[in-house]
Amino acid sequence: MPRLLLLLVLSTGGLAFADIAPDNLAGCRGKSAGAACRTDDGQPGVCTKTMVSRPDYSEGPPPKYRQVEYLLCAGTSTATARAPSPAPWATGLFLTLLAGLGALFVLRRPRPT
């Protein structure tokens, strides 16, 4: 039973990133195309319509992907430097390992007699 629980925890860690909003989305909330905005890293930009692939679970797993139109803030400066963000899979792997360690801690705890 403990191994089954550990396997379940480790196999579901990647599902946490199934529906992540695209970068530079927040700067254009409530605005129209062509409006001034700020990118996620604070650079000036313009709201532009962009097509993004999104998973659609309406028919159950596995998801089918559909194109959705978003209003994203596109940077207007010529030199936009941004610190690289960790890949979503790396964060998912970290969270999975953390959950696995937590499960091992709970399973290895001495039981009261």
Side-chain angles (χ1 to χ4, degrees):
M1 183 66 177
R3 289 183 183 170
L4 180 62
L5 178 64
L6 181 63
L7 180 63
L8 180 66
V9 167
L10 291 177
S11 65
T12 59
L15 296 177
F17 287 95
D19 198 22
I20 298 175
D23 290 339
N24 298 320
L25 179 67
C28 290
R29 285 204 177 112
K31 297 182 180 180
S32 59
C37 62
R38 292 250 173 222
T39 62
D40 291 345
D41 56 355
Q43 299 296 321
V46 175
C47 294
T48 57
K49 290 183 180 180
T50 306
M51 297 300 285
V52 177
S53 268
R54 303 296 293 181
D56 179 13
Y57 289 92
S58 62
E59 297 175 16
K64 296 184 175 40
Y65 288 86
R66 61 186 169 96
Q67 294 291 320
V68 178
E69 186 175 84
Y70 278 105
L71 201 58
L72 301 179
C73 187
T76 55
S77 61
T78 56
T80 56
R82 182 175 158 182
S85 62
W89 63 266
T91 307
L93 179 63
F94 173 74
L95 292 175
T96 300
L97 290 174
L98 191 61
L101 287 173
L104 279 174
F105 176 74
V106 168
L107 294 174
R108 299 238 179 211
R109 189 174 56 189
R111 298 175 195 245
T113 54

